[in-house]
Amino acid sequence: RKEVEQDPGPFNVPEGATVAFNCTYSNSASQSFFWYRQDCRKEPKLLMSVYSSGNEDGRFTAQLNRASQYISLLIRDSKLSDSATYLCVGTTGNQFYFGTGTSLTVIP
Amino acid sequence: DAGITQSPRHKVTETGTPVTLRCHQTENHRYMYWYRQDPGHGLRLIHYSYGVKDTDKGEVSDGYSVSRSKTEDFLLTLESATSSQTSVYFCAISPEGGVTEAFFGQGTRLTVV
């Protein structure tokens, strides 16, 4: 079983829509969580960290539910530039475990 | 952007030849990682380092070796390249391992023919 699992999508949404991604993790000892964004043929880039209290950065909101072992990312008012693959990440010890990514396409 | 450079950026090599990929950082971060990314598998850890001369295996370490003789450099060697090692290889660095975020290099696209 993979440490971190996420729905690969693809998600195709119109501009201005709200879209949510969920991700589950299997190791209850995982300590830190992140969302990364990866554009086609580019390196992953940190989008935001995820905290139990929830955190928001502009149109993006991330949540962590330790009891149910899932993390989520909500994107409001989607822009064309949000089109990318979104990777959820959990860490255990010194290692980072990546989901396979969820593809998002925002349509004009 | 984090100061992390991978070289070469693209390489085509023949089956059975050794190949070395280099990751160089200017951030003085303790942790360095090598991942490969393949369709359907996402990013998988090959090896990582938690200090000079301190390394450990990841999920897909068979056929790969690493060395870290200086804080700033982490080398990945494919001892005898096979077609199954055709992939995109990413190096990542992190100041505190799994406690803080990781930053990625631009990747090396390796083709083994």
Side-chain angles (χ1 to χ4, degrees):
Chain A
R1 183 182 176 186
K2 286 184 71 67
E3 291 263 340
V4 175
E5 301 207 49
Q6 60 183 124
D7 181 350
F11 284 65
N12 300 312
V13 302
E15 267 187 293
T18 295
V19 60
F21 304 137
N22 291 320
C23 183
T24 59
Y25 62 95
S26 59
N27 190 340
S28 59
S30 296
Q31 70 257 35
S32 300
F33 300 89
F34 308 95
W35 282 100
Y36 280 73
R37 171 196 169 122
Q38 186 174 25
D39 293 294
C40 188
R41 301 175 77 85
K42 298 284 191 180
E43 74 273 23
K45 292 189 176 180
L46 179 69
L47 180 65
M48 57 197 306
S49 302
V50 188
Y51 306 116
S52 296
S53 55
N55 50 304
E56 188 173 307
D57 182 2
R59 298 181 293 107
F60 298 84
T61 300
Q63 290 274 359
L64 165 63
N65 184 318
R66 287 196 180 272
S68 301
Q69 296 187 198
Y70 79 83
I71 67 173
S72 63
L73 177 68
L74 184 75
I75 305 175
R76 291 179 299 279
D77 188 22
S78 298
K79 311 291 185 192
L80 296 177
S81 58
D82 293 334
S83 297
T85 297
Y86 292 83
L87 308 172
C88 62
V89 185
T91 70
T92 305
N94 298 320
Q95 296 192 31
F96 295 77
Y97 293 93
F98 289 79
T100 52
T102 298
S103 174
L104 171 66
T105 300
V106 181
I107 303 163
Chain B
D1 287 346
I4 177 169
T5 306
Q6 290 185 231
S7 58
R9 295 290 315 281
H10 301 271
K11 186 170 182 65
V12 179
T13 193
E14 292 186 350
T15 299
T17 60
V19 177
T20 295
L21 309 183
R22 182 184 184 227
C23 179
H24 178 78
Q25 61 148 329
T26 58
E27 304 296 323
N28 202 35
H29 286 343
R30 178 182 175 190
Y31 293 86
M32 300 186 75
Y33 303 81
W34 276 109
Y35 291 89
R36 61 177 290 174
Q37 187 172 37
D38 305 288
H41 291 280
L43 284 155
R44 293 181 291 174
L45 181 66
I46 304 171
H47 283 278
Y48 74 100
S49 170
Y50 48 97
V52 173
K53 297 193 192 310
D54 292 322
T55 65
D56 206 350
K57 295 180 180 181
E59 178 188 357
V60 291
S61 59
D62 287 348
Y64 302 94
S65 61
V66 290
S67 66
R68 191 170 178 197
S69 58
K70 299 184 290 184
T71 299
E72 56 266 36
D73 288 325
F74 191 32
L75 304 180
L76 176 71
T77 297
L78 288 65
E79 292 141 10
S80 177
T82 68
S83 58
S84 65
Q85 294 176 311
T86 292
S87 187
V88 180
Y89 291 86
F90 286 103
C91 176
I93 62 174
S94 176
E96 296 182 55
V99 178
T100 55
E101 63 269 28
F103 304 95
F104 283 81
Q106 293 177 295
T108 295
R109 192 166 296 273
L110 177 68
T111 303
V112 183
V113 297

